[in-house]
């Protein structure tokens, strides 16, 4: 079965209580359940992980570039999107496609969120639809992987 790995960055484990007016009321567990259900409907095996530790996030990206890694990824690097050349470089070294996802639309928010270091190597970006951003990204990846 086609495997998709979803990697969520810092503070996304606080979903549900963190600034719900921006990020909604779904928890990270709700997000993971939504991804698994959407994946099942699309015939994808979806695994969702979250960390606040950049080294862990980098090691997941490194492992994903090795043989036996997933067939595609969805990355929400959260704040690292706007700060981390290291995450950008590890994402650039992936050999499978990835979609960058955001719950909010960073381009409609503070100016420091208008730069993404990590989107440049993505096959696409989905932002602003809350948890649906992940569902839409899974649909896009399923279509691309079927090509
Ligand atoms: C975010 C947007 C980022 O600007 C922010 O730092 C996050 C979440 C989003 O999903 O909307 O933590 O990636």
């Amino acid at each position: 079965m086609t495997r998709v790995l979803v990697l969520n960055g810092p503070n996304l484990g606080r979903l549900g209580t963190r600034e719900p007016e921006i990020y909604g009321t779904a928890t990270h567990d709700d997000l993971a359940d939504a991804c698994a259900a959407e994946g099942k409907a699309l015939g994808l095996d979806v695994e969702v992980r979250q960390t606040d530790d950049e080294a862990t996030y980098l090691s997941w990206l490194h492992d994903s570039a090795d043989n036996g890694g997933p067939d595609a990824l969805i990355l929400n690097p959260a704040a690292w999107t706007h700060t981390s050349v290291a995450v950008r470089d590890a994402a650039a070294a992936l050999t499978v496609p990835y979609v960058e996802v955001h719950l909010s639309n960073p381009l409609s928010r503070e100016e420091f969120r208008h730069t993404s270091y990590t989107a440049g190597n993505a096959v696409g970006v989905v932002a602003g639809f809350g948890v649906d951003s992940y569902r839409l990204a899974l649909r896009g990846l399923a279509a691309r992987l079927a090509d």
Side-chain angles (χ1 to χ4, degrees), residues 3 10 15-16 18 24 28 30 32 36 39 91 105 107 117 133 135 140-141:
R3 287 170 49 224
L15 286 177
R18 174 195 181 198
H28 193 268
D30 294 336
N105 177 5
L107 294 178
Y117 284 104
S133 292
R135 293 191 179 96
L141 277 175

Side-chain angles (χ1 to χ4, degrees), residues 10 12 18 23 76 78-79 82 102-104 106 109 113:
L12 292 174
R18 174 195 181 198
Y23 298 113
N76 184 348
H82 319 297
H102 299 283
L103 295 148
S104 66
R109 301 179 61 194
R113 297 184 202 275

Side-chain angles (χ1 to χ4, degrees), residues 61-135:
L61 288 170
H62 296 163
D63 291 348
S64 296
D66 289 339
N67 282 342
D71 299 292
L73 291 93
I74 291 176
L75 302 184
N76 184 348
W80 296 325
T81 305
H82 319 297
T83 62
S84 179
V85 176
V87 172
R88 180 248 172 245
D89 285 350
L94 290 168
T95 53
V96 294
Y98 75 90
V99 175
E100 178 163 313
V101 157
H102 299 283
L103 295 148
S104 66
N105 177 5
L107 294 178
S108 70
R109 301 179 61 194
E110 303 96 323
E111 201 164 337
F112 66 84
R113 297 184 202 275
H114 295 187
T115 297
S116 171
Y117 284 104
T118 47
N121 295 288
V123 294
V125 178
V126 186
F129 297 102
V131 171
D132 281 343
S133 292
Y134 290 79
R135 293 191 179 96

